[in-house]
Amino acid sequence: QVQLVESGGDSVQAGGSLRLSCVAIGTTYPSYCMGWFRQAPGKEREGVAAIDGGGYTSYAGSVKGRFIISQDNAKNTLYLQMNSLKPDDTAMYYCAATFSLGYCYSIPPKNDFKYWGQGTQVTVSS
């Protein structure tokens, strides 16, 4: 059974940085589109970034230039480097795997993602 386990969430001040990690357990690292989503209280879950098996990346406009998604197949791990954090970035962050889309030239809708992690909380204070 595939499990995605996130870590790295924390409380930081605005302008700070965090790196989130997501380890894929029970599978070799999938060569499919993987993504990071976030959900703030009272808001819809939104796509933050995605990366496909070829390493093509895409970002939400609100994080472009500040966040970097990457993957290490040998470590079965997906990363999200978050820089210049803002209070609006406060949310629960989830990693997700499609296991179906080989390419993702934009962030796929959340319904395309088959597996989800349990989430890791990021809180940014002003």
Side-chain angles (χ1 to χ4, degrees):
Q1 182 173 347
V2 176
Q3 285 185 291
L4 302 176
V5 181
E6 304 100 330
S7 62
D10 205 344
S11 296
V12 297
Q13 289 194 326
S17 297
L18 284 173
R19 188 176 80 157
L20 306 183
S21 300
C22 170
V23 179
I25 299 171
T27 181
T28 54
Y29 190 81
S31 58
Y32 296 107
C33 184
M34 301 281 290
W36 286 98
F37 286 73
R38 68 186 181 187
Q39 187 167 17
K43 294 189 176 181
E44 292 284 322
R45 189 172 297 190
E46 62 174 357
V48 174
I51 186 168
D52 65 22
Y56 189 89
T57 60
S58 54
Y59 298 92
S62 59
V63 306
K64 199 167 188 177
R66 299 188 297 122
F67 290 11
I68 300 171
I69 187 171
S70 63
Q71 57 196 359
D72 186 331
N73 291 27
K75 295 183 178 180
N76 264 25
T77 302
L78 177 73
Y79 300 101
L80 184 68
Q81 177 67 41
M82 305 188 295
N83 301 319
S84 302
L85 282 161
K86 304 175 182 180
D88 283 351
D89 295 320
T90 295
M92 185 73 79
Y93 282 72
Y94 300 89
C95 75
T98 62
F99 274 84
S100 59
L101 300 177
Y103 302 94
C104 48
Y105 298 122
S106 62
I107 303 173
K110 52 184 179 289
N111 289 343
D112 283 352
F113 289 84
K114 182 176 181 180
Y115 295 100
W116 292 83
Q118 82 289 350
T120 186
Q121 179 67 38
V122 172
T123 303
V124 184
S125 58
S126 57

